[in-house]
Amino acid sequence: MAQVFLLPKKLRQFLIEIGELTYFAGRFFKEAVKRPFEYKELLRQCYQMGNRSLVLVLVTGFIIGLVLDLQSRPTMIQFGAVSMMPNMVGISIVRELGPVITALVCAGRIASGIGAELGSMRVTEQIDAMEVSGTNPFKYLVVTRILAATLMLPLLVLLGDGVALYGSALVEYYKGDVSFQLYFNTVFDALTYGDLIPATVKSFFFGFAIGLVGCFKGYHSKKGTAGVGIAANTAVVFTSMFLFIIDFIAVFISDIFYDL
């Protein structure tokens, strides 16, 4: 009699959840191209996500620019390469730190908010009421939020990068007597389309992952009101994991194109 090989329970649950998330993403692409389009709700979600995350992103970006410059400056002085500070900081922020840090901040702010909001609607049966009344809750609640997160994150990354560079320029102005004009001219001379395009493209995928996981966790929330907290918490954990996976894939693909 053949012995049946069973996967560990935790691994089996994880694989099942990945399958359900994949089906959820497929349903999103199917519903996103169907009429009617919820333009008003989409614009409202863009405003909510962008406006409420803006201050947090700007403060985080400014501190990242300050800290990165302050921490790197002594080492660059030691090797006699302090003149390369704008190049190093600019490329580091635009290519990697800016998109990843902004996405992680938004994962904590947006994904948890979506998970808690949709989770509370699920446990209070508001989503069921929408289905009974003939409204498509998936299109109204899920599609609009995923699209809003996908569209808004690149804008937040752009603003976060700009503020981070300003924070670094502030340090160089006071510590190295480098004018703001010289600093930004040096940064823009060092940046190429090979730095900007991959960072911009992957920020769209970051936004999609944030919206998708947040909506998935909230839409399938269970176990009463306690499930709302679980949905918000697991949304942040899963989103952070996916962000690092997406970032690794983006960097790997970018390196292949650089080598060609």
Side-chain angles (χ1 to χ4, degrees):
M1 196 172 173
Q3 185 176 4
V4 179
F5 175 74
L6 295 177
L7 293 173
K9 183 179 179 181
K10 292 289 185 181
L11 178 60
R12 195 163 65 246
Q13 290 176 346
F14 176 75
L15 294 176
I16 291 173
E17 195 156 18
I18 293 296
E20 292 175 346
L21 181 63
T22 304
Y23 174 79
F24 193 82
R27 186 180 176 187
F28 160 77
F29 287 112
K30 182 179 178 181
E31 295 286 349
V33 297
K34 284 185 178 180
R35 294 180 180 273
F37 302 113
E38 303 289 348
Y39 294 113
K40 290 184 178 180
E41 179 64 13
L42 175 60
L43 291 176
R44 190 180 77 85
Q45 290 300 324
C46 287
Y47 173 78
Q48 294 283 344
M49 294 180 187
N51 184 56
R52 293 186 176 181
S53 304
L54 182 60
V55 175
L56 186 59
V57 168
L58 294 181
V59 172
T60 304
F62 183 71
I63 294 174
I64 289 296
L66 289 175
V67 171
L68 181 61
D69 200 293
L70 287 171
Q71 291 287 344
S72 304
R73 189 174 177 79
T75 304
M76 300 293 279
I77 292 175
Q78 183 179 356
F79 286 96
V82 69
S83 61
M84 300 295 292
M85 280 294 300
N87 306 49
M88 187 275 294
V89 173
I91 293 175
S92 299
I93 289 175
V94 172
R95 185 185 290 183
E96 186 65 24
L97 289 179
V100 173
I101 297 298
T102 302
L104 289 173
V105 169
C106 291
R109 169 65 185 84
I110 296 176
S112 62
I114 294 175
E117 184 181 11
L118 295 187
S120 63
M121 295 181 71
R122 171 63 72 183
V123 299
T124 55
E125 300 181 351
Q126 295 180 51
I127 295 178
D128 297 332
M130 292 177 67
E131 292 175 344
V132 171
S133 64
T135 305
N136 186 348
F138 191 94
K139 193 172 188 66
Y140 185 80
L141 299 175
V142 175
V143 173
T144 54
R145 283 165 172 78
I146 295 177
L147 286 177
T150 305
L151 294 174
M152 293 309 298
L153 194 74
L155 297 178
L156 292 173
V157 168
L158 181 63
L159 294 172
D161 288 352
V163 174
L165 291 175
Y166 178 77
S168 175
L170 204 61
V171 175
E172 288 300 304
Y173 178 76
Y174 285 106
K175 289 213 173 252
D177 294 327
V178 178
S179 67
F180 287 98
Q181 182 177 0
L182 177 59
Y183 179 89
F184 283 104
N185 285 341
T186 306
V187 169
F188 292 140
D189 287 341
L191 292 173
T192 64
Y193 287 108
D195 300 317
L196 296 173
I197 293 176
T200 303
V201 171
K202 72 180 179 182
S203 64
F204 281 100
F205 286 95
F206 286 164
F208 176 76
I210 290 171
L212 178 68
V213 177
C215 288
F216 173 75
K217 289 295 183 178
Y219 200 78
H220 295 289
S221 177
K222 300 176 182 178
K223 300 179 181 178
T225 54
V228 177
I230 296 174
N233 183 48
T234 54
V236 177
V237 175
F238 270 72
T239 302
S240 300
M241 180 186 68
F242 278 115
L243 290 179
F244 287 119
I245 294 174
I246 293 171
D247 184 55
F248 169 75
I249 295 173
V251 171
F252 183 75
I253 294 174
S254 298
D255 285 342
I256 293 176
F257 281 105
Y258 286 139
D259 293 337
L260 293 178

